[in-house]
Amino acid sequence: MKNQIKLILADIDGTLLNSNHEVTEKTRTAIGKLKDKGILFGIATGRSPYAVKHLLKEWRLENDTALIMGFNGGSVMDMRTGEMTSVLRLSGKAIPQIRKDLEGFDYNIGMYEGETFKAMIDDDRARRIAHSNRFAFIQDDFSGYIDKEMGKLLVIAEKEEMDRIVRHYETLPPSELYHTFRSAPILLECVNPELSKSRGIQLMLEHMDLKPEELMTFGDAMNDFDMVRDYVGVAMANGDERVKAVASFVTLSNDEDGIGVFMNEYFGLEEQDLTVVDSPERDDDIGQIC
């Protein structure tokens, strides 16, 4: 299996970054050595690819990252060519449906567009999202997007209100227009019902003429569940137990150089003792979660 891997994709928060939001030197060095093995490295995240492109410079990974898969599988930026491809985008017709479904709740709606972050309400939370992504902030009522498509929409609310919103969605039947999942205490993501990281990866692999067994993925949270399950998946020790249950391997936590340690050992990038927990029993009764 080791000799088959041609591409590695890593989630960002809780996986690539430690608790200080840094890429450690051990992990950075290991990623830099992958090209000597003929292996490409990429990112798989819910963030905008444009935001990640800027952050790669801060993490000193811009020269070692071949691909950025953003919007939970919806867009891929090829760092080698600058080409951007998008799949399974969210219909703007979801906007009035989301507003109807959330009637009575206190929330904001935001959207990434290029290198801007737009929100219906100009508030501190929306501006912090724009700032953290190094984007300009624009207030927009989104009335001009009903007949367009986008990568995703964000529902933004205080944690307690978001708790109520999530419980509310559990009482609603599945929508034909959009699918939701919580990605942060104050964020609920709205995406195309058919989109997940695994589905986006599948389409990307077809485009790259790669086989599923030639891809290794690293993740920790439930939005990484299917990409860890469906490929040669490596779960972080700090990850959700359900993700670890379907992983091919479990490595150390994001605060213990989990990615760097695993890569060094698995691909023989440097000599050291094995500390990876190999091949946990997989729970095949867990359904697909996006």
Side-chain angles (χ1 to χ4, degrees), residues 27 44 87 112 116 129 134 144 148 182 188 217 224 239 241 279-280:
T27 293
V87 298
Y112 296 106
T116 66
I129 292 172
R134 315 299 190 265
K148 297 181 180 180
R182 192 173 189 171
L188 187 76
T217 59
D224 304 317
E241 292 300 321
S279 298

Side-chain angles (χ1 to χ4, degrees), residues 233-253:
V234 184
M236 311 300 291
N238 55 286
D240 191 293
E241 292 300 321
R242 292 167 290 182
V243 177
K244 289 190 275 188
V246 299
S248 299
F249 303 95
V250 176
T251 187
L252 300 177
S253 75

